[in-house]
Amino acid sequence: MASRAARSFARSAALAARAPIASRVLAAAPHFAARAVAPAVFSSQSRGIKTLNFGGSQEKVYERSDWPKEKLLDYFKNDTIAVLGYGPQGHGQGLNLRDNGLNVIVGVRKDGRSWKKAIAEGWVPGKNLFTIEEAADKGNIVFNLLSDAAQRDLWPTIKPFITPGKTLYFSHGFAITYKDQTHVEAPPG
């Protein structure tokens, strides 16, 4: 017998097939929680900065036109972005940042498969390719893009490098949401 969540997802998908595109996007996510989720509502449909209502919380959303490349490069000119991990997230985000001219370094296990892949894609050991610990130390913006298992295993090693004034970034919140299982707890602030 299908689970309640699976039946709910199937029902949502069937309804979504007949709904306008905006509704389809909202219905595509499975509804595992028993709470109602209010759809995002644009308060303005014009180009530029928008304010969206996410379940009662107003959020500013910026578009590419709000942050042209020159403005972005100027804003981050004194920063070093450390991308920890070179799997699907680290690989894509690291190359994107580097190719757009930002100062980015990659941290992976030395001589591992990702280390070799990073070298093949133009990262240079000691210049912009480091061990995880070295990258976490050198970066003032730290992208924790390791696999969920690696985040759990390596958090005690990485945590001492996340000092006041640094920014810690996650591509998704699994590790910190389930901190009781992963023991990944972001520092206060």
Side-chain angles (χ1 to χ4, degrees):
M1 174 177 258
S3 72
R4 176 187 233 165
R7 288 190 308 271
S8 175
F9 178 69
R11 205 170 26 256
S12 296
L15 290 172
R18 291 175 277 171
I21 191 72
S23 296
R24 282 189 221 153
V25 171
L26 292 171
H31 300 286
F32 293 104
R35 61 184 170 85
V37 177
V41 178
F42 286 100
S43 63
S44 166
Q45 291 295 321
S46 63
R47 301 284 304 165
I49 300 171
K50 293 180 176 63
T51 302
L52 276 73
N53 181 330
F54 286 101
S57 176
Q58 296 291 84
E59 305 256 347
K60 276 190 182 175
V61 177
Y62 297 88
E63 294 183 342
R64 181 180 297 234
S65 60
D66 302 317
W67 280 86
K69 187 174 179 179
E70 298 75 28
K71 182 178 178 181
L72 183 81
L73 291 173
D74 184 57
Y75 185 83
F76 289 105
K77 69 183 171 202
N78 297 317
D79 292 313
T80 299
I81 301 168
V83 173
L84 307 183
Y86 205 65
Q89 293 291 331
H91 173 255
Q93 292 183 46
L95 289 174
N96 186 347
L97 293 164
R98 183 187 73 183
D99 293 351
N100 277 288
L102 293 158
N103 181 26
V104 61
I105 61 177
V106 171
V108 293
R109 291 184 187 103
K110 189 170 185 175
D111 297 323
R113 187 175 53 212
S114 293
W115 181 273
K116 293 171 184 166
K117 182 178 181 180
I119 290 172
E121 294 181 346
W123 301 95
V124 180
K127 179 181 176 196
N128 56 14
L129 178 62
F130 299 94
T131 65
I132 292 168
E133 297 85 353
E134 290 172 314
D137 185 38
K138 291 177 181 296
N140 65 309
I141 301 173
V142 179
F143 283 28
N144 189 347
L145 303 179
L146 298 162
S147 70
D148 294 327
Q151 286 187 38
R152 180 196 62 228
D153 295 343
L154 293 171
W155 183 245
T157 303
I158 297 167
K159 186 177 180 179
F161 297 107
I162 310 301
T163 55
K166 288 191 174 188
T167 299
L168 177 61
Y169 167 95
F170 294 88
S171 235
H172 62 79
F174 180 86
I176 54 176
T177 299
Y178 297 99
K179 62 185 173 199
D180 57 323
Q181 296 170 38
T182 65
H183 306 291
V184 175
E185 192 162 349

